[in-house]
Amino acid sequence: MDGDASRTETEGVEEHGLGTQVRSTVSRLYRRFRSERPEGSLGDAALDVLLRLHKSGPQTLTELSEYGHVAPASMSQSVNRLTSAGYAVRTPDPDDGRKVRFRVTAEGAEVAHATRTQRHAWLDAHLRGLSDEDQQAIAHACALLSRIADS
């Protein structure tokens, strides 16, 4: 890293605090990462639900609401978008016939896979473009942030 960039980063830490810088950077990176998706894809909320169903298997509305930290009414809108688009279907719960589970369809699995592939390719390409020194710095920062997250 050149001296000017290093000095600017240090000044930002001193002026705003390291916590502010970490929160801001992680938030911006997360928003940018989420913006990577196939053309004409679903909105953020429905896409998050689709990715969850694809990764974790069938879920009830309550499970999805708890995972997404949203009210069941809000989650209902997302799953309705997915079922209307043919990306998910309602199925009876095998343990409790009164409950409904949502599961991803083959078409939904394709969208989820394409989204993950595009997001990962975007991030991996940017990381590969960094110097070995910068890649090592990010790896070290990730280890430290993981330790904080696990505390």
Side-chain angles (χ1 to χ4, degrees):
M1 203 169 5
D2 70 22
D4 290 339
S6 178
R7 190 169 37 257
T8 302
E9 290 169 6
T10 303
E11 289 168 2
V13 170
E14 292 168 1
E15 181 181 338
H16 298 290
L18 183 57
T20 299
Q21 187 176 8
V22 170
R23 283 186 297 274
S24 174
T25 301
V26 168
S27 179
R28 288 177 51 227
L29 180 61
Y30 183 66
R31 280 192 309 271
R32 180 62 182 88
F33 183 76
R34 285 177 51 143
S35 73
E36 284 296 319
R37 57 177 165 235
E39 205 51 45
S41 189
L42 299 164
D44 288 343
L47 190 54
D48 285 347
V49 173
L50 181 65
L51 291 169
R52 173 70 178 177
L53 291 172
H54 185 250
K55 181 178 181 182
S56 300
Q59 308 260 307
T60 65
L61 186 67
T62 301
E63 291 168 334
L64 291 168
S65 298
E66 288 172 358
Y67 175 78
H69 304 287
V70 298
S74 295
M75 185 55 65
S76 184
Q77 291 177 354
S78 293
V79 295
N80 285 340
R81 281 189 197 102
L82 294 175
T83 57
S84 293
Y87 296 146
V89 292
R90 291 172 172 84
T91 59
D93 186 301
D95 300 323
D96 185 346
R98 297 169 296 172
K99 292 183 182 178
V100 172
R101 291 192 168 272
F102 297 90
R103 73 169 174 78
V104 70
T105 63
E107 188 177 357
E110 288 177 24
V111 171
H113 179 74
T115 301
R116 278 203 176 98
T117 299
Q118 185 169 336
R119 288 177 174 178
H120 293 182
W122 170 82
L123 182 58
D124 291 346
H126 284 280
L127 292 172
R128 278 192 307 273
L130 298 174
S131 69
D132 288 344
E133 181 181 318
D134 285 347
Q135 288 181 25
Q136 289 171 1
I138 289 176
H140 182 68
C142 286
L144 295 174
L145 291 170
S146 288
R147 195 164 71 202
I148 291 169
D150 292 341
S151 66

